[in-house]
Amino acid sequence: MKKLEQLYEGKAKKVYATDESDIVIVSYKDDATAFNGQKKGTITGKGAINNKMTNNLMQKLEKSGIPTHFVQELSDRETAVKKVTIIPLEVIIRNISAGSFAKNYGVAEGIVFSQPTLEFSYKNDDLGDPLINDTHALALGLATEEDLASIKRYAYAINDQLKAFMKTIGIDLVDFKLEFGRLPDGSIVLADEISPDTCRLWDCETHEKLDKDRFRRDLGGAEEAYEEVMRRLTGVE
Ligand code: UDP
């Protein structure tokens, strides 16, 4: 497979065309942003960690029956994935209160929910990714009712898998964001990434934050936190 021209540059990844029309290459950057791009920085080594962690988890999810865009890891930072049309919804699952949930609803971080929550944001940087519900997504034509049903079913199944797996490596899966894409045949697959950029990961014992909140909140030790997650992830294989 040959890497061709750059198609897109996002905040944390670049996407390249290939000589195969149904495959693109994603290249993960060390660039970190927060608060809708207002805070910018670098987390050295993040690109390689997010690439390998995403691929590791997507392969595990595939084995348990969740379709993903993953095709093949090409290098430390680059992966071949199926070309999809991204559905402009950020799908957020929460097991424990944190971040915008704690802020919006006036509760402390760290409340363990008896069942997970699921919310949608409209993926639109100009609007600041506003929270929307199913009927808004339908009204805006972002997805069909069938799409939303599949997305929710996959998101809860992914949560069950990831939460159980993270527990085995001493991590509480607090919350995370997923994005889904559509293949040319109309089917929906998990796309984007699953990494400390997109998940809140707390050490089960110490409750230390092992994710992008270290960067967002200037806690220091972001590089070390990403490395620690990767060390635990690869240590159990
Ligand atoms: N998240 C993300 N991208 C976004 C917004 C949120 O990956 O654009 C992830 C975030 O890392 C966290 C979860 O989704 O794991 C829930 O984020 P929240 O709504 O609490 O927003 P935040 O506090 O990050 O603004």
Side-chain angles (χ1 to χ4, degrees), residues 57-59 61-62 66-71 82 183 189-191:
L57 296 176
M58 285 208 184
Q59 284 171 276
L61 291 169
E62 281 275 357
I66 311 281
T68 78
H69 72 166
F70 177 78
V71 176
K82 292 176 189 161
L183 292 175
V189 298
L190 178 65

Side-chain angles (χ1 to χ4, degrees), residues 84-151:
V84 298
T85 309
I86 290 286
I87 295 167
L89 286 175
E90 299 200 336
V91 184
I92 294 170
I93 293 265
R94 302 175 190 271
N95 297 301
I96 300 177
S97 66
S100 69
F101 184 96
K103 186 167 168 275
N104 290 344
Y105 306 127
V107 296
E109 294 200 314
I111 300 164
V112 180
F113 304 143
S114 56
Q115 58 183 62
T117 67
L118 183 150
E119 73 211 37
F120 294 125
S121 291
Y122 176 25
K123 191 173 148 65
N124 182 319
D125 280 342
D126 295 339
L127 302 175
D129 299 338
L131 198 61
I132 59 170
N133 68 23
D134 293 38
T135 63
H136 297 150
L138 293 173
L140 291 168
L142 307 180
T144 65
E145 247 171 306
E146 295 72 40
D147 292 340
L148 294 178
S150 306
I151 287 171

